[in-house]
Amino acid sequence: MDHDSLHGLLTELAARHQVPGAQLAVIHEGERFLVHTGVRDTGSGAPVDRATAFPVGSLTKPFTAALAMILVADGDVDLDEPLEGRLPEFGAGGLVTLRQLLSHTSGLPSDVPEGTDATDGDRARWVARYCRAVDLTHPPGTVFSYSNIGYVVVGRLIEAVTGMSWQEAIDAILFEPLGTRPAFVVGPDRTGRTVATGHAVRAARERVVPIAVQELPEVEMPNGALALSAEDLIDFARLYFAGCPDPRPLDRATADDMCFDQLASIDIGPYGMADGWGLGWARFDDGAADVYGHNGTGDGTSCHLRFDPANGSAVALTSNANTGAQLWDALVPRLRAMGLSAGDRSAPEPPVGPVRQALQDDCLGRYINGDTEFVVQPSPGGGLLLGFGGAPHSELLCSADLRFIMRELGSGARSPGRFVTDPATRRIGYLQITGRLAPRR
């Protein structure tokens, strides 16, 4: 592995997947590599450099988790006490703990409802309205279901404990000691740092269209407001390395706790996303060692971070196109051939062989998580179609154990999912896609 080979690889894959600009940062066998390619905005043609910040989307969550864990280490909040005392406005706070919020086992719905005021950053009022006990989709501590709403609550908890806004707290308590100057895609103070523009590659692959604005409600800043470079991401990952000297602002025990899998007693895990989940980090089983990380997508951006705390390796990719996920999928096996594991596996192939009609028929119906409704209906040609409360969106290619590949109509993009049996009824009780678990209604 060397600088020139990594630069050539990134340039090749960015061109293949029509990604205007990207950064790749690697720590491998004690060496550090930083390469970048392309432009940060096709409109201006301004080049990407090592300091360009990319909207990292949900990769904001591990930073929010780290800030919350610093408060735990300081004794300001307890991981396992119900949060009603700290957050009186949190209606489900008598049932839910910080540990459950950070590990996506709180039972809160997955996504902030559509129509949330984009400029409303009053998290206390929002939590009071949308995070009542009656809003829980699952009993807390029983299943994994990826929840953006859970991290809104974490952001509100940080504000209540520190007396600062989430943005002020994460800058002062986490980034300033790291020597990192973050940018924010929304909010009152975005800093003067240069931020890459997202781009949409049209399905026909004839045009690459800039997306000028990141459509993120301010209440969701703890979920997805950060913009950082690939170098910033691997600098953060170094805090979790076993041999990292003086890993401030995280002490060694806190860093280790964040990587400890929380799902041993959980009935339904994060199928389709990872093999386990810690306190902010996804865990990927890579055979001899576990790799940790997170993905993040913004409007026309796709970013990825993986690290192995045992051997001190890390890889971060930032990209400014919606096809960045395909770039990452193509990059992972190439890095593996160079001796660097990113923990990810190849995209799943469609299952082979027929599925009994009775099994498929048992999957039909409505599955609901918060405001999101999934409708499974029969396909005219046989098989199953999935719609999100409206017209069919994807076909489901099922295997005999009712795991499936969701293949989008039109684009052909694929992602894994499954139906899960309810032990009480022995019938299909849940639909799980991208880590989100929707009970059948």
Side-chain angles (χ1 to χ4, degrees), residues 63-75 77 79 98-99 102 154 158 240 249-251 253-258 279-280:
F63 291 87
T64 296
L67 176 54
M69 290 298 291
I70 291 170
L71 301 180
V72 171
D74 288 344
V77 65
L79 263 177
L98 177 58
R99 186 185 300 276
L102 296 178
V154 177
I158 288 166
Y240 299 89
L250 291 178
D251 61 42
T254 300
D256 289 345
D257 285 348
M258 288 185 66
L279 299 172

Side-chain angles (χ1 to χ4, degrees), residues 20-21 38-42 44-49 52 194-199 320:
V39 298
R40 63 177 187 254
D41 179 358
T42 55
S44 69
V48 170
D49 60 32
T52 302
T194 300
V195 177
T197 299
H199 295 79
N320 62 350

